[in-house]
Amino acid sequence: MVKVGGSLVSDRARLCAVLARCAEDSVAIVPGGGPFADAVRTAQTALGFDDALAHRLALDAMGRMAEVFCSLEPRLAIAASVEAVADALAQGRAIVWDPAALKAGCPDIPESWDVTSDSLALWLATRLGAGRCILEKSAPVPTTDPEALAALGLVDAAFPLFAALYPGQIVLRGPDSVSEAA
């Protein structure tokens, strides 16, 4: 499982290299929302719609980034359900998850900005029984503690809770270093 931050769009070479490495393996990719999620934040601030709608729009943003990732790396395809992701992995293929199905709601996922693609990656990794969840970040990762990462704004506020529920290994990679959190 690899979560590829949408903020990696600012480093096209690194983004393409990460996607190419993923395409060579049997791995599920969780896309961040990138500039599309930023547009949702801007629109919510300007228009004042609620967090539940913002959450659903951010899921759409992740889906748009999934399309971008597949455009940049043609060996990738999109799966729109947990079952489709599991099927692709069982066939030994790399797949990009579009979380659109979560727009119908999920009782264990709060519909707010407290949950972003970082926590959703852990949620999906837990559902799939993945032994490791890698988060590719655009910023340096100075710590391995989920609480400290959330306090620094490097992951979302719900990340420590999802990390506590995930039995596998969590690896965070910044542009220059590799850090691990358990």
Side-chain angles (χ1 to χ4, degrees), residues 1-2 28 89 121-122 124-133 166-169:
M1 171 77 53
V2 178
L89 294 175
L122 289 175
L124 182 63
T126 301
R127 294 298 165 285
L128 295 173
R132 183 171 58 167
C133 184
Y166 176 61
Q169 177 187 32

Side-chain angles (χ1 to χ4, degrees), residues 4-112:
V4 180
S7 61
L8 263 65
V9 298
S10 65
D11 186 348
R12 187 182 195 283
R14 180 171 175 227
L15 174 60
C16 289
V18 168
L19 295 174
R21 280 193 314 268
C22 288
E24 295 170 358
D25 207 352
S26 177
V27 66
I29 301 168
V30 176
F36 305 116
D38 293 341
V40 173
R41 287 181 180 92
T42 300
Q44 183 184 27
T45 298
L47 302 173
F49 50 82
D50 65 28
D51 279 351
L53 175 58
H55 176 79
R56 292 188 301 275
L57 293 173
L59 293 172
D60 286 334
M62 291 172 63
R64 300 305 61 81
M65 284 304 299
E67 293 176 42
V68 170
F69 289 179
C70 290
S71 175
L72 293 173
E73 178 47 73
R75 295 176 289 173
L76 297 173
I78 295 174
S81 70
V82 175
E83 296 77 19
V85 171
D87 289 344
L89 294 175
Q91 295 171 19
R93 296 185 295 125
I95 198 78
V96 183
W97 180 47
D98 177 347
L102 295 180
K103 288 174 57 176
C106 183
D108 50 342
I109 300 175
E111 292 185 327
S112 76

Side-chain angles (χ1 to χ4, degrees), residues 111-122:
E111 292 185 327
S112 76
W113 287 112
D114 286 348
V115 175
T116 66
S117 56
D118 291 328
S119 286
L120 292 177
L122 289 175

